[in-house]
């Protein structure tokens, strides 16, 4: 997206919000130098440019320009508010507050889980303190620029900041689905955290990278031709090298053997529609055999951070393994930019079925919650203002953060009670609960909790849940467990024996566009395609396609089968429940 830089915008409209913030910050930081020796103002300007490239709104860019003025130049927040309004002042204040949080990781004696808990609590705290995701975005841009210029700092400081970046900020970006940002932060931190390994990798991987790149460039036109011969016109085929930091993590699991990493360079096929994703997968599998157990359907089952794509590893030309990732443009943009994609792409979504989120029966965690409104908001409106408003209301005022006596942060929907808290900690604690101490005082189990409450659950061995709890239990996880305790045994076992999926089989004469017609017909009826597998029938010209779907609705599936039989070239179609 070519657009003028923040600097150009500021100079061409000096009375606009960005223009005024630019000259105000430049004046406030006048005479200050960074450790690199350059004028200090370069830093807030660089952060603002990063946010501009993420297509953030003017208030966010202005706040980025001003983000260090309160802390480092002593400008009162009141002045920012008077000059730039409450919104910008709120963002600057948020970033200033986050600046006071420091993470040093665990001491070496700490157990790994304790370190992870500490990091996780800090991540949640940062999100909670921010109150508005734009504060987090500014902090990420601020950190990204600081990491790019980290070399100027003393080694001890470099390590602490790199560690914090890797374990806290890259992780937050990842949870928000901002893979590009997360990956870049990790890559920037890597040389400081593992200098020798970085050095080794740089030398050892160079050849492998080059060889893989050459190979993929060679087969790229073959993939395009193959897809086009089945009437699938890809929007783009990208070749993407794995980042050093993630390569290193993978190597640790592969005995540092570069020969065992097959996605060093991966191919990304970007197609137009969801049915085309599965159709493309089928076409590729027909041409090159897939490795068993390497097909991953993150469209039917998105990663917890809402990443969606199909992955497969096939034996390509010259018997070499290739990882191929297939997704739509929309999935691709969301995978790269995550929550921030809502500022980037404002057009109405296509009508492809969203299979994510809805199948989650369990209570949703903080990031799944984000994903949830992304879906809902996308259905109603793409107006970023409303999206932000909804974020503030739903995420930050509709969630509370209660604390265990050990200091673990438990996030819950507003209105939650100690019973919700208890089941969130552990189902056995919920089942055996008899009472709760809130901030040290014994309180009834239907007490509504507030953020910051320290909650201790009093339990009694052999105690059973009370049906009365359903009156005030707020979370799905608590309600499910309470109901489960009352459900009759036989009712439960018959539930378990029910089929959950169906497999549709289509045998057909091969022709151009066949797979596309088949997957299109199935996708239209919104049964949720889980996987698509095609192969040539033994000793003939017929092709057998097996499509697993989520629905078990016999009538619906029979209607699909009927439509499939009507497709040109189809000899046979049927299904079975799984
Ligand atoms: Mn800064």
């Amino acid at each position: 997206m070519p657009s003028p830089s923040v600097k150009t915008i500021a100079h061409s409209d000096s009375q606009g919000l960005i223009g005024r913030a630019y000259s105000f910050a430049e004046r406030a930081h006048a005479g200050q130098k960074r450790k690199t020796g350059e004028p200090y103002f370069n830093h807030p300007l660089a952060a603002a440019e990063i946010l501009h490239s993420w297509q953030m709104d003017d208030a966010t860019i202005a706040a980025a320009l001003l983000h260090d003025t309160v802390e480092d130049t002593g400008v009162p927040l009141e002045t920012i508010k008077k000059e730039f309004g409450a919104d910008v002042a709120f963002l600057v204040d948020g970033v200033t507050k986050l600046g006071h949080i420091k993470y040093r990781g665990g001491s070496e004696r700490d157990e790994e889980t304790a370190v992870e808990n500490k990091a996780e609590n800090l991540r949640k705290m940062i999100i909670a303190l921010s109150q508005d995701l734009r504060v987090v975005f500014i902090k990420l841009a601020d950190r990204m620029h600081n990491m790019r210029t980290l070399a100027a700092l003393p080694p001890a400081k470099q390590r602490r900041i790199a560690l914090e970046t890797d374990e806290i900020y890259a992780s937050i970006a990842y949870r928000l689905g901002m893979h590009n940002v997360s990956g870049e932060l990790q890559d920037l931190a890597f040389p400081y955290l593992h200098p020798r390994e970085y050095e080794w990798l740089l030398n050892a991987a160079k050849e492998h990278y080059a060889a893989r790149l050459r190979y993929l460039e060679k087969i790229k036109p073959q993939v395009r031709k193959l897809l086009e011969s089945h009437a699938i016109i890809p929007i783009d085929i990208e070749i993407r090298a794995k980042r050093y930091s993630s390569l290193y993590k993978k190597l640790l699991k592969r005995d540092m053997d570069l020969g065992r990493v097959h996605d060093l360079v991966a191919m990304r096929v970007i197609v137009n529609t969801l049915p085309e994703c599965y159709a493309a997968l089928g076409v590729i599998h027909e041409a090159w055999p897939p490795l068993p157990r390497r097909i991953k359907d993150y469209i039917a089952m998105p990663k917890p951070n809402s990443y969606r794509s199909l992955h497969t590893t096939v034996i390509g030309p010259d018997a070499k393994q290739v990882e191929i990732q297939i997704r739509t443009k929309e999935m691709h943009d969301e995978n790269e930019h995550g929550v921030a994609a809502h500022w980037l792409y404002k057009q109405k979504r296509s009508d492809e079925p969203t299979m994510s989120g809805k199948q989650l029966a369990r209570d949703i965690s903080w990031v799944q919650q984000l994903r949830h409104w992304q879906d809902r908001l996308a259905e109603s409106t793409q107006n970023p203002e409303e999206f932000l408003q909804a974020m503030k209301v739903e995420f930050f005022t509709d969630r509370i953060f209660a604390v265990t006596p050990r200091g673990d942060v438990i996030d819950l929907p507003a209105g939650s009670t100690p019973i919700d808290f208890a089941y969130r900690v552990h189902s056995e604690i919920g089942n055996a609960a008899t009472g709760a101490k809130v901030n040290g005082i014994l309180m009834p189990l239907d007490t509504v909790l507030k953020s910051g409450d320290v909650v201790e659950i009093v339990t009694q061995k052999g105690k059973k849940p009370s049906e009365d709890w359903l009156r005030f239990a707020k979370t799905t996880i608590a309600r499910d467990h309470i109901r489960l305790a009352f459900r009759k045994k036989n009712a439960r076992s018959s539930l378990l024996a029910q089929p959950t999926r169906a497999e549709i089989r289509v045998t057909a004469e091969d022709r151009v566009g066949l797979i596309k017609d088949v997957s299109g017909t199935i996708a239209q009826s919104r049964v949720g395609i889980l996987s698509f597998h095609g192969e040539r029938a033994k000793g003939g010209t017929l092709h057998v396609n097996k499509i697993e779907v989520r629905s078990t609705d016999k009538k619906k599936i029979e209607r699909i089968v009927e439509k499939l039989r009507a497709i040109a070239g189809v000899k046979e179609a049927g299904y079975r429940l799984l």
Side-chain angles (χ1 to χ4, degrees):
M1 252 146 288
S3 61
S5 66
V6 169
K7 194 173 176 176
T8 315
I9 295 169
H11 286 319
S12 65
D13 181 13
S14 62
Q15 287 316 298
L17 186 63
I18 291 173
R20 285 184 291 123
Y22 184 99
S23 46
F24 185 98
E26 195 176 30
R27 250 180 293 125
H29 290 294
Q32 289 182 339
K33 290 247 189 295
R34 299 197 82 212
K35 286 282 178 340
T36 53
E38 56 182 338
Y40 193 90
F41 179 65
N42 285 6
H43 164 67
L45 178 58
E49 297 286 7
I50 291 169
L51 287 155
H52 180 56
S53 76
W54 298 347
Q55 306 263 319
M56 293 290 147
D57 61 357
D58 288 2
T60 308
I61 292 165
L65 289 166
L66 299 163
H67 83 269
D68 279 331
T69 54
V70 172
E71 184 77 10
D72 295 347
T73 73
V75 171
L77 190 65
E78 268 311 303
T79 308
I80 302 283
K81 195 168 174 178
K82 242 192 278 157
E83 299 273 331
F84 303 100
D87 197 27
V88 172
F90 168 83
L91 296 175
V92 171
D93 190 37
V95 179
T96 307
K97 280 182 186 147
L98 286 192
H100 299 150
I101 295 177
K102 293 248 176 341
Y103 174 72
R104 286 185 169 80
S107 77
E108 275 164 40
R109 272 173 312 183
D110 278 347
E111 302 219 354
E112 212 171 288
T113 52
V115 176
E116 191 35 52
N117 278 342
K118 197 173 154 193
E120 178 62 10
N121 289 343
L122 196 54
R123 286 175 212 132
K124 283 182 181 167
M125 205 112 93
I126 287 169
I127 295 281
L129 275 179
S130 304
Q131 288 184 56
D132 184 324
L133 280 186
R134 289 178 300 172
V135 173
V136 180
F137 297 150
I138 298 171
K139 190 68 200 169
L140 290 172
D142 171 45
R143 183 50 60 99
M144 189 169 285
H145 184 249
N146 283 335
M147 286 304 295
R148 286 177 187 164
T149 51
L150 195 62
L153 294 188
K157 238 181 161 178
Q158 287 176 347
R159 239 197 93 75
R160 187 191 70 73
I161 293 171
L163 186 70
E164 186 179 79
T165 301
D166 190 57
E167 296 193 352
I168 307 297
Y169 289 101
S171 178
I172 286 175
Y174 182 82
R175 302 285 200 89
L176 294 173
M178 302 166 81
H179 286 107
N180 257 345
V181 176
S182 167
E184 184 171 349
L185 288 175
Q186 282 179 323
D187 254 13
L188 287 165
F190 181 55
Y192 296 99
L193 296 176
H194 308 281
R196 268 173 315 187
E197 291 84 345
Y198 177 70
E199 207 48 51
W200 173 81
L201 208 56
L202 222 49
N203 291 316
K206 215 192 284 168
E207 287 271 302
H208 284 266
Y209 267 118
R212 294 295 295 167
L213 269 174
R214 274 197 306 275
Y215 175 68
L216 288 188
E217 286 295 351
K218 195 183 90 185
I219 66 165
K220 184 171 150 178
Q222 296 178 38
V223 172
R224 181 177 289 276
K225 231 175 113 188
L226 184 66
L227 293 173
E228 285 175 359
S229 73
H230 285 81
I232 301 162
I233 314 296
I235 297 176
D236 196 11
I237 299 178
E238 255 187 18
I239 290 165
R240 188 66 89 85
K242 201 174 187 65
R243 290 178 180 278
Y244 277 113
S245 51
S246 73
L247 172 60
Y248 176 65
K249 276 179 198 140
K250 193 150 212 178
L251 278 171
L252 288 176
K253 291 187 252 168
R254 302 269 194 286
D255 306 323
M256 303 309 276
D257 183 355
L258 274 165
R260 289 174 61 198
V261 177
H262 302 292
D263 61 348
L264 196 60
V265 183
M267 180 176 280
R268 285 177 180 165
V269 177
I270 301 165
V271 294
N272 280 290
T273 64
L274 182 137
E276 276 186 354
C277 292
Y278 290 97
L281 186 74
V283 167
I284 288 166
H285 284 173
E286 259 183 30
W288 296 312
L291 291 186
R293 282 183 296 281
R294 293 292 298 275
I295 305 167
K296 300 202 181 88
D297 187 349
Y298 295 121
I299 296 178
M301 302 285 185
K303 288 190 185 181
N305 67 359
S306 82
Y307 175 88
R308 288 184 300 161
S309 185
L310 298 175
H311 289 194
T312 185
T313 304
V314 299
I315 312 286
D318 310 325
K320 284 187 178 150
Q321 294 186 16
V322 199
E323 175 166 306
I324 301 179
Q325 306 171 352
I326 307 164
R327 73 266 306 256
T328 63
K329 177 87 170 81
E330 189 199 15
M331 290 174 201
H332 182 63
D333 292 335
E334 283 194 9
N335 291 345
E336 297 284 292
H337 305 291
V339 173
H342 280 265
W343 278 265
L344 281 164
Y345 298 95
K346 291 163 193 168
Q347 82 272 23
K348 198 102 186 100
R349 281 192 185 196
S350 61
D351 59 358
E352 63 185 34
T354 46
M355 292 188 274
S356 63
K358 286 165 193 154
Q359 72 267 27
L360 292 164
R362 293 190 315 125
D363 199 13
I364 38 184
S365 73
W366 60 295
V367 176
Q368 282 160 343
Q369 177 92 34
L370 283 172
R371 170 71 199 173
H372 182 66
W373 327 305
Q374 282 191 28
D375 281 351
R376 263 208 1 238
L377 273 147
E379 282 159 22
S380 55
T381 170
Q382 286 290 101
N383 182 338
E385 296 300 314
E386 283 175 42
F387 181 62
L388 281 174
Q389 204 46 46
M391 266 186 180
K392 281 190 201 168
V393 174
E394 293 205 19
F395 189 57
F396 299 108
T397 64
D398 282 8
R399 301 300 287 183
I400 60 145
F401 295 81
V403 186
T404 69
R406 281 177 42 216
D408 293 328
V409 178
I410 306 289
D411 69 316
L412 294 162
S416 289
T417 63
I419 277 298
D420 296 301
F421 180 93
Y423 277 107
R424 180 53 69 78
V425 174
H426 200 285
S427 60
E428 276 169 27
I429 293 180
N431 284 337
T434 58
K437 279 186 188 168
V438 180
N439 304 320
I441 301 162
L442 206 57
M443 299 292 277
L445 284 172
D446 63 355
T447 305
V448 172
L449 297 175
K450 298 185 304 298
S451 262
D453 280 348
V454 179
V455 183
E456 187 183 347
I457 301 296
V458 185
T459 57
Q460 193 189 312
K461 250 202 174 141
K463 170 87 176 48
K464 288 265 155 39
S466 155
E467 203 161 9
D468 185 47
W469 292 352
L470 287 172
R471 266 196 314 112
F472 52 82
K474 180 109 182 159
T475 51
T476 319
I477 186 169
R479 301 184 68 83
D480 282 353
H481 275 109
I482 299 164
R483 281 201 206 95
L484 197 67
F486 288 96
R487 206 175 282 160
K488 296 229 164 59
K489 249 190 194 157
N490 50 0
R492 235 160 72 201
S493 55
S494 76
L495 200 75
L496 284 173
Q498 299 261 322
T500 56
R501 295 160 295 141
E503 184 191 78
I504 299 173
R505 267 174 84 102
V506 183
T507 308
E509 208 79 65
D510 195 25
R511 64 168 170 81
V512 170
L514 174 78
I515 293 174
K516 201 180 166 191
D517 289 347
V518 169
S519 57
T521 302
I522 298 171
Q524 255 170 25
S525 51
R526 312 221 163 172
V527 282
I529 297 176
L530 291 165
S531 69
F532 195 114
H533 185 77
E535 62 192 18
R536 191 181 290 270
K538 279 194 191 81
T541 55
L542 292 180
H543 280 245
V544 183
N545 294 296
K546 294 178 192 165
I547 307 97
E548 216 174 285
V549 298
R550 194 187 304 284
S551 175
T552 55
D553 181 340
K554 283 189 177 184
K555 277 192 185 153
K556 201 171 185 179
I557 297 170
E558 274 160 19
R559 271 201 300 276
I560 297 172
V561 167
E562 219 159 286
K563 280 186 200 158
L564 289 171
R565 287 191 182 122
I567 292 174
V570 169
K571 298 285 175 207
E572 228 180 275
Y575 77 100
R576 63 189 176 111
L577 296 179
L578 301 172

